[in-house]
Amino acid sequence: MKRMMTAIGALLLAGTAAAQEGDALLDMGWDEIVETARGGEVNIFMWGGADNINAYVSDYIGGILEEEYDITLNRVPLSDTAEAVNIVLGEVEAGAAEGAVDMIWINGENFRTMKQGDLVWCGYVDKLPNAELVNFDNPAIANDFGTPVEGCEVPWSRVQFAFAHDSARTPAPPRSIPELIDWIEANPGRFTYPAPPDFTGAAFVRHVFTHVAGGADALVGPFDRETFDTVAGETWEILNDLEPHLWREGRTYPTSITQLQQMFANREVDLFFTYDPAEIGTAVVNGIFPETMQSYGLSDGTLANTNYMAIPVNAANKAAAMVTQNLLLSGEAQLEKAQPEIWGAATVIEPDRAPDEVQAGFAALERHPSVVSIEELGQAALPELTPDWTSAIEDGWIENVGN
Amino acid sequence: MTRLTLDTLDLRHPGTERPALDALSLEVADGEMVALLGPSGCGKTTALRVIAGLVAPDAGEVRFDGVSVGHLPPERREAVLVFQSGQLFAHMDVAANVGFGLRMQRRPKREIAERVAEALAQVQLGDLGHRRPHELSGGQRQRVALARALVLKPGLLLLDEPLSSLDAHLRGEMRALIRRLQRETGITTLVVTHDQEEAAVLGDRVALMLGGRIHQIGAGAALWNRPADLDVARFFGGCNFISGRSSGGGFDCALGRLLLPEGAPSGEGCLTLRPEAIEPGEGENALTLRVIETRFEGLLTRITAEGSGLRLEALMRAGAARGAVPGQDVRWRLPREALWVLPGV
Amino acid sequence: MAGSRTSATEVIGRGHPWLSLAPALCVIAVLFGGGLVLGLAGSFGMGRGGWSLDAWAAVLGEGRVWRSLGLSLWIAFASTALSCLIGLGAALLLRRRFPGQGLARLLFQINLTIPHAVGALGILWLLSQSGFLARIAGGAGLIDGPAGFPALTQDRHAIGIIAHYVWKEVPFIGLILLANMQSIGDDPEAAARSLGASPFAAMRLVLLPLLRPALIRAGAIVFAFSFGAWEVPVLLGQSSPPALPVLAWQRFTDPDLAARPEAMAIAMLIALVSALLIRAAFAGRS
């Protein structure tokens, strides 16, 4: 009994020590932080649904960490980022100061949840040398789905929503939301979208919602019930009117983007969309999609967002997590990640702040022919809505359309 | 009631070397109770299942009243089999168990109730109709199983070791009950047992089955004292076998000429007598033998003695055995009525 | 010394059964009971600034929850009934001796080893509108395109889900019944036959009642699983209403922390309904 008490006491002390270590890190210089991190480990919790992304993190990033810093990287795959948020939440509620999660790949509502619940560690970002490569004044980086980042997470990649079609099957796809609505009516049964709360499906609904609102400008800023009610009413009407022309007459919807991908590959539907156009290239290389696949943006714009890496407030290995984040932001790692055969993810750094050879590398990047260029997409980018808007839209869809 | 004929039944279970039934033939008369006696594994339970129609023989015929029933499924045969374990249906109460067969015949409910009550009274369980099988003692369960068969008034009753699961003191009671019910109903009955005493008490005749066929059939005492062959003699505990020649009412062997009872077969053969038949002292067929060994077996003492190169075993009460001391000679009398000749052995 | 040793043996050997079960019970209490208690506490808002019935009120007052409950009950009842029926039939066939019986039994139980998610993908591959059967039908000219094939997955009646559970649970039921039949033996039926019962009557009136306790136990397991499992309806279910466990999962992974107590309340609802129905099934036995 006595021994058990001693053990519990030691654990509590260690936990407090971890929290204190976090504060101590903020007073250290970078070299000191690296020395603290050396020989340790870092547990990264991230969506694990794409092999190429997993390989990039485990092999490329993990390899450098091991070699240069003697840090072991453990990648914990998730099917939903909220699982990691739940773990941190449970630990913090239980008073565990030394948590299992050192870093989470995150954005949007999950980040807002963590920030509001004081579950995320803040104020360390300017310690990272490579943070200088990032333009934190860019509103698309300083705001995560409308939530100010404020030094509580570091950006990793940018993505922009894109549509895709098989040019051999559908030579003239719709290139705006109004065109899409007409196209659906002209091609009954050949279109559907994943039912929210699926992330990609919810993003598609936001496109229709933004279109009805007359553009993104009308929805900028905090949630406004009056605007929402007006816009939502018309949006649900459009989507409900479309149902008879959807796959299965709209009686049901796919439940995940993976399912939609399979249905497109099986020629059950003729249009696909994704929040990560680089994925289209990967799918063509893997033979899931045909060579004639082509992704494209909409003339009235598609939603764009940045995704980030956050460190939980109770992370046990904060120093190692900081070293990892700094590495992820390096010009070399960002360039590697941008290679189409590796991942093809758009960078968050300003290439002209990076060393010359990195700049040259970005200039020489070759896109997969099926992937729409970042420049082309970026010409019509819509800012993401704040989580208040997105959850109201999701709930409204479930209530009014999905039933 | 029904006359049962088994005509050269053969049956071999797949994957076994010895046949379970080997040209088995048996005739049971109308209203007769025959005890089918044999050691375990001799095929007697298999024979019952063949008669009941639960197992088909490889060859041969089962006839009820001279008519083959080979094509009839069990439920259409005039025979009811009572299993060794009783096989009461645990999810039905006693009355439902007893009424099961009548229910299968779609008798009216009232008739079933009446006949069930009657059958339960017959086995002295009149007031236990609402009990569940697990609430009964072993003896009560066995009686319910019996009532369940009798209530159908079958032409043929097949009892498979009905007493083996009972305590010794219950056996006597149950044995008397079976005997009485059989007398009262006159149902042709074949009862399988491995117990010689049980067979002798229950059976009008006893059929001894060894290795899948009947070796001898007759009254219990006949099998005991007049075995038809060596196997039968051995089964009943015979241990004295002397080879020689029978002629003119005497048997010539190494021990000299022994006088035989009337009707003993003549010719080359083997003389047998039961160990407990040997008596100490002088008289007809008296011999001098040297005692080799004595072994105390409770009530009786087993004495082995030798003469003219032959060994004889005797079982004697303590008083009679007192004179037998290993190494010394004794005078033993082999009563004429106890001798029997197995011809041609 | 010797005396004290004797008494120790007595405690272990003849002591109260609860005493010898204590270690196992502790593990069960912590793992199973602990999860249940924490879930229940979570559904009353523990750790969210005080206790409240809000989550339960919200869940029980929501039409979607009731529709999901209805769907899950339908899935569980249909899967259990069909699995029991087909499993019983299969067991009755497989208990007979016939050439190749060993192989047939092996093939019968082979999908016990296949994980549910894999089985569900197999069903998708087989039954979906672009699946194997649809392609055969298309190749034979019976249908024009995927939409011409009847919707057997992601469908309103949860046919795909039920098909998966039946496919997966029939061997489970069948094997339990086969083992049960083996221990029951042929004699009860033989006794019934000898008393005048036809083969069918002997099966119905004697064998089935004897199998009933095992069938109810196995059925209860199938029911609890098909009512509470999440992965199969996620893969094969329609979007709305989702099966109750899927709804609980959606709430649990909702970034809005306020949805967590609702997720817990739905999970507790699943456990409660499951427990009540299984209790009723056992009670109805006697």
Side-chain angles (χ1 to χ4, degrees), chain B residues 49 74-75 81 87 91 101 104, chain C residues 187 193-197 199 205 209:
Chain B
R49 285 171 179 257
E75 63 269 23
L81 172 60
Q87 287 296 345
H91 56 287
M104 292 300 102
Chain C
D187 281 357
R193 295 289 303 278
S194 184
L195 289 167
L205 297 173

Side-chain angles (χ1 to χ4, degrees), chain C:
Chain C
M1 198 61 209
S4 72
R5 193 179 299 160
T6 313
S7 66
T9 318
E10 271 175 4
V11 169
I12 295 166
R14 283 179 249 159
H16 200 279
W18 286 109
L19 203 62
S20 19
L21 284 173
L25 284 176
C26 283
V27 174
I28 291 171
V30 169
L31 291 182
F32 176 74
L36 213 57
V37 168
L38 284 179
L40 202 59
S43 74
F44 290 114
M46 186 199 75
R48 294 268 175 298
W51 301 81
S52 85
L53 292 167
D54 293 353
W56 281 96
V59 162
L60 295 179
E62 188 182 339
R64 191 173 164 84
V65 170
W66 292 104
R67 282 194 295 279
S68 290
L69 176 64
L71 176 72
S72 280
L73 283 174
W74 156 246
I75 291 172
F77 271 120
S79 305
T80 307
L82 286 173
S83 301
C84 286
L85 216 64
I86 302 174
L88 179 65
L92 289 173
L93 283 178
L94 284 172
R95 75 174 169 150
R96 293 169 198 285
R97 287 181 177 278
F98 57 90
Q101 182 195 36
L103 183 69
R105 282 195 183 197
L106 185 73
L107 291 176
F108 177 63
Q109 56 188 274
I110 214 155
N111 64 2
L112 280 176
T113 59
I114 298 175
H116 275 280
V118 176
L121 290 176
I123 293 279
L124 207 56
W125 182 80
L126 188 71
L127 295 183
S128 78
Q129 286 181 315
S130 54
F132 184 70
L133 292 182
R135 279 167 210 220
I136 288 182
L142 297 173
I143 57 172
D144 299 337
F149 194 74
L152 299 177
T153 59
Q154 285 101 28
D155 61 301
R156 168 183 299 261
H157 302 293
I159 293 170
I161 301 172
I162 294 167
H164 166 83
Y165 281 135
V166 169
W167 167 84
K168 177 81 181 156
E169 303 298 357
V170 157
F172 169 73
I173 301 263
L175 284 189
I176 289 208
L177 292 183
L178 272 176
N180 221 247
M181 286 179 189
Q182 211 139 35
S183 71
I184 290 171
D186 295 335
D187 281 357
E189 276 175 291
R193 295 289 303 278
S194 184
L195 289 167
S198 68
F200 180 72
M203 195 254 294
R204 192 172 70 86
L205 297 173
V206 175
L207 182 64
L208 287 192
L210 289 173
L211 288 176
R212 225 181 102 155
L215 192 61
I216 287 179
R217 273 192 197 97
I221 292 172
V222 171
F223 183 91
F225 188 86
S226 52
F227 185 68
W230 162 85
E231 68 258 56
V232 178
V234 140
L235 287 167
L236 296 176
Q238 59 179 357
S239 60
S240 176
L244 205 50
V246 176
L247 192 64
W249 182 249
Q250 286 177 355
R251 292 286 152 91
F252 188 67
T253 53
D254 191 323
D256 183 2
L257 289 183
R260 297 292 193 292
E262 287 182 25
M264 296 299 176
I266 295 174
M268 289 302 116
L269 189 65
I270 293 170
L272 187 74
V273 172
S274 214
L276 286 178
L277 284 170
I278 287 169
R279 224 192 111 70
F282 279 114
R285 183 160 59 100
S286 50

